[in-house]
Amino acid sequence: MIRRNATLVVFAVIAAAQAQSPAGRTMRPMAELEPVLAKIATFQHGQSRQELGQLMEFVNDSVSSQSQLRQIELRLLRFLESSATPAAKALVFDQLAFIATDASIPLLVSMQARPETAETARFVLERIPGPAADEALRRMLASATGNVKIGIINSLGRRRDRQSVAALEALISSSNRGITEAALAALAGIADPPALKALAAARTKLSGPLREAASEAYVACADQLARRGDKASAIRMYREMIAPQQSPGVRIQALAGLARLEGRNALPALTTAMHSKDRGEQASAIMFLDGIPGPDSTKAMVSEFARLAAPGQVRILAALADRGDPSAKQLVLAALKSNSGDVRAAGLRALGKLGDESSVIVLAEAAADRPAPEQDAARQSLWGLRGLKIDAAIVEAIGSRSGKVKAELIAAAGERGAVSAADALAQAVHDGDQEVQRAALRALKNVGGSGQVPALVDVLVKAATLSDRRDATQTLSAVLRRSQPALISMVIRAYEAIPTVESRLSLLEVMGQSSNDEALPLLRGSLKDPNPEIGRAAILALTGWDSPAALPDLLAIARSAPDPALKILALRGHVKLIALPSQRPASESARLLTEAMRLANEPAEKRTVLSLLPAYPCQESLQLAQGALGDESVANEAKAAVARIRIALQQK
Amino acid sequence: MPLVKRRDFLKQAAVSAPAAIGFPMIVPSSVLGADGATPPSERITIGSIGLGRMGGGNTRSFLRYEDARVLAVCDVQESRREQLKNTVDQRYGDKGCATYNDYRELLARPDIDAVMIATGERWHPLISIEAARRGKSMYCEKPMARTVEEAMAVRAAVQRAGVVFQLGTMQRSSYYFRHACELVRNGKIGQLQTIAMASAGGNGSILPPEVPKDVPPGIDWDLWLGPAPWAPYSDQRIGLNWLEINDYGLGLMGGSWGIHEYDIAQWVNNTDHTGPISVEGAAEFYKDIRDTASMYDIEFLYADGVRAHMMDLPTARRRFWQFQHGRGEQRGYGDVLIGTEGWIFVSRESVKTHPESLMRTVIGPNEIRVRSSDHKRNFLDAIRTGRQPISPIEAAVRGESMCQMGDIATRLKRKLRWDPGKEIFPDDAQANSRLSRPMRSPWRLETPGPSRGA
C-alpha cells in the first residue's frame, strides 16, 4: 500500500463542498472531461483507475445541472461509439447508467446485440424511465437468446411493463427452464389481470418444479395486488393457495398474506395450519397467529396448546409471554408440570413475563434445583420479573429461606439492582452458609452504597481465602465508586490498622480502583514500603488512576526504581495516564511522551509511545517520531507515526 | 421447511452421499443424546454458505452449541470448503459434513433448518430470499444487501415465509453496547441529542493496480461474481479488497465497518422500525481498484431532532473529543451518545460515561432492558421459540438504508430528504434511481420489489 500524502483530502475541501448549495455550486467546464476520457480510452483491466475516479467525480459534480448532464450523456455516447477498449467502455457504462435518457436508447439497443456489451447496455437501459425504454426492451426480447434473454425478461418484470405480458406468457412454454422461471417471476411483478390469467393458466399447464414456481409466482402476484389495494382479489387468491394439495412452502406464503389482510378472520386457517405435520408450516402459522393482535388469537393459542407436540408448545408459550395477556397465566403454570423439559423451561421463561410477586418463590425454587436449561430460564425470569412489589417479596423471602433458594434470591436482588435489599444482603455476608455469603458479596457490587462500606471493609480484612478476598475487593471497589460521599477514609484507616500483607494488597487495589485523591499520600508512602509486594501493588494502584494526578509519581519511579521490572511497570502506567483524555496542549503531551521514550528500553514500550504520538499532532511529536526512524526495532512504527502525524498536521 | 422427515433423509444420505462413506463405527454418546445432551432429532441443523473470514468464524462458533449441528458447508472456493469440512468433521468425530459449490444445492436439502450466510453483500439478498423460500431461518452477515430495494425484498421474503432472520451485527450482544443502549433508552443521559459514529477510514491510501489473471483451479469465479457486473479475476479482487469495491458494496462506511455503528445508532435511538428524515455530507473516494469512500463526514437528522454523524475515525476524533477515550484500543471505532444530562463513549473494548457514576448503574427489571449476551445463541433461541432475535430483519433493513443514504448523499453532493414510511427520497428521481441496481443475468430478485412511491 502506497501512502499518498499529496492526494489526501484536506477536510476543508469537504467542508467547503458541504457549505455550497446545489444551486450555488460552480459547474466544471465540459472541456475538463476531454483529457479524462482520452486517458480512459485505452484502459485495460490491471491499469490504474485514477481517471475513472475523475470521471465519477466529474459526473457527480454535475448532477445538479440537467443541461450539463445532457452534454455529458451525449459525450459518453460518442465515447461508446469510439474505438475505446471494451474495458474502458464498461467503465463509462457505469457512469452513463445514472444519467441516461431516451437519447441513449438507440445506441444501447445496438450494443445489446453484441455479446461483450449486452449486459452492461441492459443495465443502463433498465434504469431509463419512460415508455421508450420499455418498448426498446420488448423489441430486443424477440431476438435475444439464453442469458441475455433472461436478463431482458428480468428487466421488463422490474419495470412492470404491462405491454409485455403476451410475450412473457408465450415464453412460459420455453424449453429453457431459466426462461420459463424468469417469465413467471416477471408476470408476478406486473400483476395486472392478463398477467394473473397467464399465471393461473400456467399452474394447470406446467408440472413438477415449474408448477411449483408458477404457484409461488401466483402468490407473489397476489402480494402485488394487495400492495396496490386490490385486497379482495388477493384474499381470494390466498384462500385458493392454502388448499391441502399445495406444497407447504406455497401454503405458508399464502397464509402470511391472508393473516396480513384478514387479521382475525384468518384465525381458522391459521389454527388448521398449526396442526400441520410439516414443522415449518406449524412454526410459521404460530408466528403469523401471534402477529394478529387481540384476545381472539390468544384464545386460539390457549385452546390448541394441549393438542400440540413439545416444539409447538414451546413456541406458543413464548408467544403468550410476549403478548402479556394475563389470561394465559394458568396455562403457563400448568406447563411447569409438563413431561418435557423444553416445555417446562419455556413455561418458566413465560412466567417471567406473566408472573407477579406470587411467582418469586416458584422461580427461586426452580432456579435452585432444576437442571441447566430450566435453571437458566428460572433465573432469567426471576431477574426480570416486573412489578412494584417484586423486590419487597424477594427481600422478605431472603429473610425466611435458606441454602440454595436463599442464594438464588440474593443473586436475583443483585441482578435486579434492588437497592432496597442492600441491608438484607449486608447481613447475609455473615450467613453461615458459604454459598449464601458469596452470593451476597457479589450482589452487593450492584446494590451496595455508603451504608454497606463498613461491613465490606470488615469482610475484606477477615477474608480467609484468595477467592473470598477477590470478591470482597471487587465489591468494595464498585461500592466506593458509586457511593456519595466516597468513604475512602475508612479504607485508609483499615490499611493502617491491619498488618496482614494480603489484606493490605487488596486494600491498595481498592484505593487504585477508587481513584480518590485522598488516598494518594498513602499510596506514595507505600511506594517506599520495604516489602516489594506492597511497592508493586502501589504502582499498580497508581496505574489504575482515572486522572493524570498520579503522573509525576509514576514518572519518578520509572526514572529511579532500582528493579527493572518495577521501572517498566511504572513506565507503562505513566504512558497509560498520558493517554487519558485531558485538556493539556498537544505539545505538552508530546513532551511527556518524549520523556517516556527516553526511559523506554524495550521495543514494546517504544511502540506504545509511537502509537500514541499521532493523537497529539504537533512539531514536537513529529520530531520524536522522526528521531525513532533510525531505531531498527521500531522503524516501521516510527514511519507510520510520521505519516499519520503529517496527515493530522495538514488537516489541522 | 422439511418436506421429508429428517431421519428418513439422513438414512438416505447415509446410503447415497459420498460424504457419508467412512462413518465411524464408534459414535460419540453425545450424538445419540445421552447424558442430557440434545437428541439429534431436536438439534437445529445448520448449513454454512460463504466460508471466508466471517463465515469461517461463524461456522466454528456454531460448533460450540450442543443443540445445533452443522450439516453442510458451501463456498465457491474449494480450499475453503474443504478446510471447514475438516473442522466440522473433527468436531463431530465423523465424516458427515457435506460440501457444496452452489448454494442452491445446499438450500434444497430438506434436513437443514437454518443457514449462516456470509458471502458478501452482493450475494446476501439472493441467498437470503432463496433460504426464506425454502423455509430456512438465517443468520446473515452484515450488511444484508447492496441496495435499499434488495434489503426490502429480503424483508418481504422473510416476512412471508415466517422464518427467523438475524443480522450479524453482534455488537448488540456485547455488554458495553447493551449497557449504553439501556442507559440511553432509560433516559440516564437525559434527552438524546447527538449520536456520533466513528468507523474505519481516513487514511487516503492508494493500492497498486490489480493484476488480472486466469482463474486458479478450485475457484468458481462466475459464481463468486454472481449478480455483480462481470470483472476479470485478480488476487486483489477476491482478497479483502472486494469489500471496498462499489460493485460489491459500500466499503468502509458500509460492510467494512460502518454498518455496525449505524446499527447501534438506530438501536439506542429506538428507531429500528424507522429512520432519519434527511442526510447530507461529503466524502473522498478511493481511485484505485476500490471506488468507495475513504474519508467521510455525514449527518443525518431524525424527526425528533436527534442528529447522527457518521465519520471516519480521524474526523470523528477531531469533531467529538470523547472518541479520544478509544485511543489505546485496537481500533477505537464506536459511538458517542450525547444527551442533555450526560454522554457515553462506547466501543468494543470499553464504555465511558459522564457522569462517571453511570458506568455502574444497574438497569432494573421495571426499566427498558435489551438482553442478549451471545448473538448466535440468541439466534438459535429465536428459532426454537419463534421470537424476534436481537438483530431482526426490520432493524437490518433500516441500518442498511442508512448506509445507502449516506453513500448516495455523498455521491450526489447535496442534502437529501428521506421518507422513512415509504422508504424513498420524496420527489427525487435522481436519488431514488440509486436505491436499486440491475443484476447480471440470469440473477434477479425473486421477490419483486415494491413499486416505489406506491
Side-chain angles (χ1 to χ4, degrees):
Chain A
M1 186 176 289
I2 301 165
R3 293 274 165 196
R4 188 184 51 145
N5 293 336
T7 52
L8 285 169
V9 170
V10 177
F11 254 73
V13 175
I14 288 178
Q18 278 180 307
Q20 281 181 318
S21 68
R25 189 182 296 149
T26 310
M27 288 301 117
R28 292 164 63 179
M30 282 297 291
E32 284 187 16
L33 185 56
E34 292 308 320
V36 176
L37 289 176
K39 284 183 183 167
I40 288 177
T42 56
F43 174 78
Q44 299 284 2
H45 288 293
Q47 294 177 346
S48 165
R49 290 173 171 242
Q50 182 72 17
E51 283 72 29
L52 169 65
Q54 290 175 7
L55 174 61
M56 185 180 85
E57 288 282 317
F58 191 89
V59 173
N60 288 344
D61 282 344
S62 306
V63 290
S64 60
S65 164
Q66 285 301 316
S67 64
Q68 176 131 331
L69 287 180
R70 296 295 67 78
Q71 288 182 60
I72 297 171
E73 180 185 8
L74 294 175
R75 181 64 190 89
L76 296 185
L77 290 172
R78 284 209 311 280
F79 182 93
L80 291 172
E81 288 179 304
S82 72
S83 58
T85 62
K89 288 181 181 175
L91 300 184
V92 167
F93 270 124
D94 286 348
Q95 296 308 310
L96 183 64
F98 294 111
I99 63 172
T101 65
D102 287 357
S104 295
I105 292 175
L107 182 66
L108 293 172
V109 169
S110 70
M111 298 193 106
Q112 179 80 28
R114 297 176 221 155
E116 71 275 14
T117 50
E119 278 288 275
T120 38
R122 179 178 63 82
F123 285 1
V124 182
L125 208 47
E126 185 179 306
R127 286 176 179 273
I128 298 175
D134 290 333
E135 192 188 336
L137 284 164
R138 283 198 300 274
R139 267 191 284 124
M140 294 185 317
L141 183 62
S143 56
T145 57
N147 275 359
V148 175
K149 196 178 192 94
I150 290 174
I152 295 169
I153 295 169
N154 293 343
S155 292
L156 286 166
R158 287 174 56 77
R159 293 173 66 89
R160 316 276 193 264
D161 178 42
R162 294 182 178 198
Q163 292 190 48
S164 64
V165 167
L168 293 171
E169 183 177 11
L171 290 173
I172 291 175
S173 318
S174 169
S175 57
N176 181 329
R177 182 176 164 174
I179 289 176
T180 301
E181 288 175 341
L184 291 168
L187 287 166
I190 294 166
D192 66 350
L196 179 56
K197 198 173 155 196
L199 288 173
R203 287 182 50 229
T204 57
K205 278 185 209 159
L206 297 171
S207 58
L210 284 177
R211 184 174 194 164
E212 180 76 1
S215 295
E216 288 186 21
Y218 191 72
V219 177
C221 188
D223 291 342
Q224 284 291 341
L225 290 173
R227 281 196 195 104
R228 292 179 199 165
D230 186 358
K231 293 186 180 175
S233 298
I235 288 171
R236 180 181 52 74
M237 291 164 73
Y238 291 141
R239 290 213 167 272
E240 200 181 335
M241 301 309 283
I242 59 171
Q245 64 268 30
Q246 302 299 335
S247 72
V250 169
R251 282 203 304 267
I252 287 170
Q253 292 173 20
L255 277 168
L258 206 58
R260 196 171 54 244
L261 293 190
E262 288 217 289
R264 57 194 295 273
N265 288 340
L267 289 179
L270 292 169
T271 304
T272 303
M274 276 168 67
H275 297 290
S276 168
K277 286 177 184 168
D278 182 274
R279 276 168 49 174
E281 185 174 5
Q282 183 191 69
S284 299
I286 294 171
M287 203 180 269
F288 300 147
L289 187 61
D290 184 33
I292 299 172
D296 289 345
S297 36
T298 304
K299 204 171 156 188
M301 288 187 208
V302 171
S303 66
E304 300 303 315
F305 181 83
R307 294 170 57 206
L308 295 172
Q313 290 188 339
V314 167
R315 289 169 191 277
I316 292 278
L317 286 166
L320 290 171
D322 279 357
R323 293 171 78 86
D325 186 338
S327 69
K329 191 177 167 189
Q330 284 310 312
L331 177 76
V332 168
L333 289 171
L336 301 183
K337 294 168 187 156
S338 166
N339 291 330
S340 159
D342 287 346
V343 174
R344 290 196 302 271
L348 288 164
R349 275 193 296 271
L351 196 57
K353 301 269 180 69
L354 297 175
D356 54 24
E357 60 274 19
S358 68
S359 312
V360 165
I361 293 298
V362 177
L363 290 170
E365 286 177 350
D369 66 12
R370 298 279 178 90
E374 291 170 64
Q375 180 180 58
D376 184 54
R379 281 179 177 160
Q380 294 297 332
S381 287
L382 189 56
W383 300 352
L385 206 55
R386 296 171 77 104
L388 298 176
K389 296 178 182 170
I390 308 296
D391 286 349
I394 287 175
V395 173
E396 190 184 334
I398 287 172
S400 63
R401 300 283 164 153
S402 61
K404 286 183 186 301
V405 175
K406 184 172 184 174
E408 291 293 342
L409 289 160
I410 287 171
E415 292 293 332
R416 296 171 62 85
V419 177
S420 58
D423 285 336
L425 299 186
Q427 280 181 16
V429 295
H430 300 297
D431 195 280
D433 184 328
Q434 263 197 334
E435 198 175 342
V436 171
Q437 276 179 29
R438 198 162 293 142
L441 202 51
R442 288 177 181 170
L444 276 168
K445 200 189 291 184
N446 283 351
V447 301
S450 304
Q452 286 73 48
V453 170
L456 288 169
V457 171
D458 188 50
V459 169
L460 189 152
V461 298
K462 289 180 182 164
T465 68
L466 186 64
S467 160
D468 288 349
R469 198 173 302 113
R470 178 114 303 270
D471 281 347
T473 303
Q474 287 177 358
T475 299
L476 181 56
S477 299
V479 170
L480 278 171
R481 286 178 81 91
R482 189 174 40 242
S483 302
Q484 292 296 336
L487 300 179
I488 193 69
S489 54
M490 201 167 282
V491 179
I492 294 170
R493 279 202 301 277
Y495 182 90
E496 288 163 347
I498 304 293
T500 327
V501 172
E502 288 81 5
S503 298
R504 285 191 148 198
L505 293 175
S506 296
L507 290 166
L508 287 173
E509 187 181 335
V510 170
M511 288 180 224
Q513 289 192 32
S514 76
S515 288
N516 190 316
D517 288 356
E518 210 181 310
L520 274 176
L522 185 143
L523 286 170
R524 284 172 184 145
S526 302
L527 292 170
K528 296 165 194 154
D529 196 287
N531 184 331
E533 278 190 81
I534 296 286
R536 186 174 180 278
I539 293 174
L540 285 173
L542 292 171
T543 298
W545 225 250
D546 65 4
S547 80
L551 265 175
D553 304 291
L554 289 166
L555 182 59
I557 303 162
R559 277 181 183 146
S560 60
D563 181 345
L566 293 183
K567 216 168 169 172
I568 288 179
L569 210 56
L571 184 60
R572 285 179 187 167
H574 176 65
V575 173
K576 188 178 162 211
L577 296 199
I578 294 172
L580 290 175
S582 82
Q583 300 299 318
R584 113 175 51 89
S587 58
E588 177 60 12
S589 296
R591 190 191 63 73
L592 291 167
L593 287 170
T594 303
E595 179 65 10
M597 191 65 141
R598 197 181 61 75
L599 293 168
N601 293 322
E602 299 297 322
E605 278 69 49
K606 291 179 186 174
R607 284 192 196 108
T608 308
V609 171
L610 288 166
S611 72
L612 284 175
L613 281 175
Y616 309 104
C618 60
Q619 287 304 321
E620 291 85 345
S621 292
L622 188 60
Q623 280 167 18
L624 180 54
Q626 284 171 331
L629 288 170
D631 183 342
E632 271 184 22
S633 67
V634 293
N636 287 338
E637 288 79 4
K639 201 171 157 190
V642 167
R644 288 178 61 198
I645 295 165
R646 282 196 173 132
I647 293 166
L649 285 172
Q650 280 176 0
Q651 293 171 354
K652 243 183 168 181
Chain B
M1 72 275 345
L3 299 172
V4 179
K5 281 182 184 169
R6 181 176 302 154
R7 284 179 192 283
D8 294 346
F9 184 86
L10 289 173
K11 217 182 289 174
Q12 186 188 343
V15 174
S16 60
I21 294 169
F23 201 87
M25 294 301 289
I26 300 168
V27 181
S29 62
S30 64
V31 172
L32 302 174
D35 303 328
T38 310
S41 62
E42 297 303 324
R43 287 197 184 122
I44 294 169
T45 50
I46 294 171
S48 285
I49 304 169
L51 308 172
R53 193 166 48 108
M54 297 306 299
N58 287 340
T59 306
R60 288 183 195 94
S61 293
F62 277 118
L63 296 177
R64 292 201 317 257
Y65 304 100
E66 288 296 333
D67 63 340
R69 166 99 194 198
V70 177
L71 286 188
V73 294
C74 170
D75 198 288
V76 296
Q77 298 190 53
E78 186 181 11
S79 58
R80 284 183 171 177
R81 56 181 186 260
E82 288 306 320
Q83 191 186 0
L84 254 296
K85 172 186 163 51
N86 288 339
T87 304
V88 174
D89 286 347
Q90 202 170 10
R91 160 70 176 85
Y92 297 131
D94 61 23
K95 300 283 182 193
C97 179
T99 57
Y100 298 93
N101 178 61
D102 188 327
Y103 72 94
R104 289 167 294 189
E105 291 173 29
L106 183 149
L107 290 176
R109 282 182 59 158
D111 60 333
I112 288 179
D113 298 321
V115 285
M116 186 290 302
I117 305 167
T119 50
E121 54 266 45
R122 67 194 178 287
W123 263 119
H124 289 170
L126 291 179
I127 298 175
S128 298
I129 290 167
E130 179 66 5
R133 201 173 77 78
R134 297 276 186 177
K136 321 286 189 203
S137 291
M138 68 207 82
Y139 183 102
C140 181
E141 264 310 328
K142 74 287 154 190
M144 65 183 297
R146 289 182 308 162
T147 68
V148 172
E149 185 189 48
E150 290 174 357
M152 290 166 72
V154 175
R155 178 175 60 194
V158 165
Q159 287 174 346
R160 72 182 195 160
V163 293
V164 171
F165 178 100
Q166 169 93 304
L167 191 69
T169 42
M170 29 60 73
Q171 289 186 168
R172 289 193 182 207
S173 295
S174 85
Y175 168 77
Y176 295 135
F177 286 98
R178 192 172 72 226
H179 188 55
C181 180
E182 289 180 341
L183 289 175
V184 174
R185 292 256 199 114
N186 287 294
K188 306 289 183 189
I189 57 167
Q191 187 75 34
L192 182 64
Q193 293 186 316
T194 302
I195 303 165
M197 299 168 266
S199 177
N203 69 6
S205 62
I206 58 170
L207 296 174
E210 68 174 324
V211 183
K213 58 194 225 186
D214 291 340
V215 181
I219 295 178
D220 187 335
W221 181 240
D222 188 66
L223 210 50
W224 187 93
L225 288 168
W230 183 86
Y233 174 88
S234 75
D235 292 340
Q236 294 95 325
R237 197 171 281 268
I238 202 169
L240 280 179
N241 289 340
W242 66 263
L243 278 162
E244 287 153 30
I245 297 175
N246 194 235
D247 279 344
Y248 317 127
L250 299 185
L252 302 172
M253 69 161 101
S256 275
W257 197 277
I259 180 65
H260 277 301
E261 311 313 335
Y262 278 126
D263 179 67
I264 294 301
Q266 285 279 96
W267 195 41
V268 300
N269 198 28
N270 198 17
T271 45
D272 269 352
H273 59 294
T274 178
I277 56 169
S278 72
V279 56
E280 61 185 317
E284 172 74 357
F285 294 87
Y286 287 118
K287 294 184 179 67
D288 46 42
I289 184 178
R290 305 161 299 173
D291 49 2
T292 51
S294 61
M295 304 164 81
Y296 44 94
D297 186 350
I298 306 163
E299 181 175 318
F300 298 84
L301 175 66
Y302 286 90
D304 61 0
V306 171
R307 288 181 188 277
H309 303 261
M310 165 56 82
M311 297 155 287
D312 59 79
L313 183 60
T315 302
R317 283 187 174 160
R318 277 193 302 278
R319 294 194 56 187
F320 294 88
W321 69 269
Q322 291 94 335
F323 281 108
Q324 303 293 341
H325 280 295
R327 217 157 38 195
E329 299 179 355
Q330 191 187 354
R331 292 189 180 91
Y333 313 144
D335 305 87
V336 171
L337 314 165
I338 302 172
T340 50
E341 294 164 28
W343 55 258
I344 301 165
F345 162 79
V346 59
S347 71
R348 290 196 176 180
E349 293 177 46
S350 68
V351 59
K352 303 280 183 207
T353 62
H354 176 78
E356 204 265 349
S357 57
L358 289 179
M359 302 264 284
R360 278 164 298 282
T361 299
V362 177
I363 303 298
N366 294 318
E367 298 179 281
I368 298 164
R369 283 172 144 185
V370 286
R371 292 291 151 108
S372 165
S373 54
D374 178 339
H375 215 52
K376 293 176 184 74
R377 177 75 262 159
N378 178 264
F379 170 62
L380 296 172
D381 288 346
I383 293 174
R384 285 199 187 285
T385 61
R387 300 291 83 199
Q388 286 284 347
I390 192 82
S391 294
I393 183 69
E394 187 64 33
V397 173
R398 301 299 181 155
E400 179 60 35
S401 297
M402 286 187 79
C403 292
Q404 299 290 337
M405 288 160 65
D407 184 70
I408 295 168
T410 52
R411 287 179 190 273
L412 293 179
K413 300 188 174 185
R414 60 187 167 86
K415 183 173 182 175
L416 302 173
R417 289 187 302 126
W418 176 253
D419 181 336
K422 292 180 176 171
E423 297 176 278
I424 55 167
F425 298 105
D427 305 319
D428 193 334
Q430 201 173 48
N432 284 334
S433 75
R434 292 173 184 251
L435 294 176
S436 61
R437 300 189 199 203
M439 288 185 170
R440 194 165 65 103
S441 181
W443 307 105
R444 65 177 168 272
L445 286 177
E446 281 292 348
T447 302
S451 304
R452 298 222 163 272

